[in-house]
Amino acid sequence: MIWFFLLSGLFLGWSLGANDAANIFGTAVGTRMVKFKVAAVVASIFVIIGAIVSGAGATHTLGKLGAVNAIAGSFTVALMAGLTVTWMTRLKLPVSTSQSIVGAIIGWNLFTGLPTDYGSLSKIVSTWIICPILSALFAIIIFRTVRGLISRYKIHMLTIDHYNRVALVLIGAFGAYSLGANNIANVMGVFVPASPFRDITLFSMTFTGAQQLFLIGGIAISIGIFTYSKRVMMTVGDELFKLTPVAALTVVLAESLVLFIFASQSLQNWMVSIGLPPIPLVPVSSSQAVIGAVMGIGLTKGGRGINYRILGRIASGWVSTPIAACMLTFVALFFVENVFKQDVVKPTQYQLSRNVLNEIKNCLLYTSPSPRDLSTSRMPSSA
């Protein structure tokens, strides 16, 4: 039954590979600079490496949004998120797997009556706005820099073409690594609180249960890339805005940088060490990042040539995806619990220590006699 329940996570990973992971090489394949098979092989390898090595950061934030603590609940959440993404993929819309899984988790919270961590939700939702804007800014800066270098040094077109092909593969590998590190949380994050795997040690290295889940999810993403990603690649790389090879390289690099920023624990620790506010480690949308980068290129060229009809369809998919995933999950959980008699949530028991009870007592005793005094009173900082 454990492997049966994990099938929905594998299906969600396949959906991510078919949709979100395609964005890493979408512009390269859409401009015919890189063959689809080459892109699929490189993306598959580095997605798995990124998931295993750096997948824990974004997973932690997603877990705080709603800790799905029963394997049947995790199965339902992942399945409904995967179905939502697959439905959007069939419509040739590069939607966000991040939005889909967030909507599904909120559906689980609503069904079980457990609270949603609005602090974590606000961090995640804010990245849905920041991600495409930041990607567009990176794209504008990179594109103008590269174009300036080409103009200054008078590089021959054949040389530029050769450099572009090599760079698209190398930067695509970096982007695939960042995608695996960031978006594996969408695939297997809901299974981590109810992980069925124990830690194992191989050659003096500990392979945690979460890393085993990430490996399985990475393989599922790879299968999705090979089997069904070409449709979305062509939408992003060919239909939204006609890209030159240099612009395609710019889009991949800008998107990869955004995914890396929101997945790197080392970068977060470094920012804290120099006194800067940390960047939240959250699963961001590679679809939104690549669309933002493409739009940045389009704006650099004066906004001419942007297919606003396609852009409107994509934006409508971003809005409807979390709503659809939330509703589908709520309904599906009802059937799983009442028809198939599976526990979709485990009761959580809390034990209050003496210190906590004393704090509660102090808070209850700390009252004021009038509304005016209430408005000026201060609760103890440890409450």
Side-chain angles (χ1 to χ4, degrees), residues 147-284:
R147 192 168 58 177
L149 290 173
I150 293 173
S151 176
R152 180 177 180 180
Y153 292 103
K154 307 298 181 182
I155 303 174
H156 194 275
M157 291 300 297
L158 292 178
T159 304
I160 294 174
D161 183 77
H162 173 71
Y163 287 160
N164 265 333
R165 293 178 189 274
V166 175
L168 281 169
V169 174
L170 295 177
I171 295 173
F174 168 62
Y177 175 90
S178 300
L179 178 74
N182 189 281
N183 274 205
I184 194 64
N186 298 333
V187 177
M188 286 294 173
V190 293
F191 290 94
V192 170
S195 175
F197 300 119
R198 297 180 179 179
D199 296 354
I200 59 176
T201 302
L202 296 173
F203 305 107
S204 301
M205 295 179 61
T206 301
F207 199 45
T208 66
Q211 287 177 319
Q212 295 171 53
L213 286 172
F214 296 160
L215 172 61
I216 296 171
I219 294 173
I221 294 173
S222 301
I223 296 173
I225 294 173
F226 272 101
T227 58
Y228 210 70
S229 66
K230 198 171 183 179
R231 293 166 57 92
V232 180
M233 283 189 183
M234 300 311 296
T235 297
V236 173
D238 187 53
E239 294 181 17
L240 177 63
F241 183 82
K242 301 296 183 181
L243 294 172
T244 64
V246 173
L249 173 64
T250 301
V251 169
V252 175
L253 181 56
E255 174 202 5
S256 302
L257 288 172
V258 171
L259 291 175
F260 178 78
I261 286 172
F262 288 102
S264 176
Q265 289 181 302
S266 299
L267 179 61
Q268 185 190 63
N269 294 335
W270 176 77
M271 294 185 67
V272 172
S273 67
I274 62 174
L276 294 175
I279 296 175
L281 301 181
V282 298
V284 297

Side-chain angles (χ1 to χ4, degrees), residues 74-139:
S74 302
F75 164 82
T76 308
V77 168
L79 180 61
M80 293 303 106
L83 286 175
T84 303
V85 173
T86 303
W87 175 29
M88 296 297 177
T89 302
R90 288 186 61 85
L91 298 176
K92 298 180 67 177
L93 295 177
V95 299
S96 169
T97 307
S98 302
Q99 292 177 334
S100 182
I101 196 67
V102 166
I105 290 175
I106 293 175
W108 181 83
N109 289 343
L110 292 174
F111 181 82
T112 59
L114 294 176
T116 298
D117 187 337
Y118 289 103
S120 298
L121 180 61
S122 63
K123 288 181 180 179
I124 295 172
V125 172
S126 66
T127 63
W128 296 351
I129 301 172
I130 297 171
C131 174
I133 295 175
L134 186 61
S135 185
L137 291 175
F138 281 154

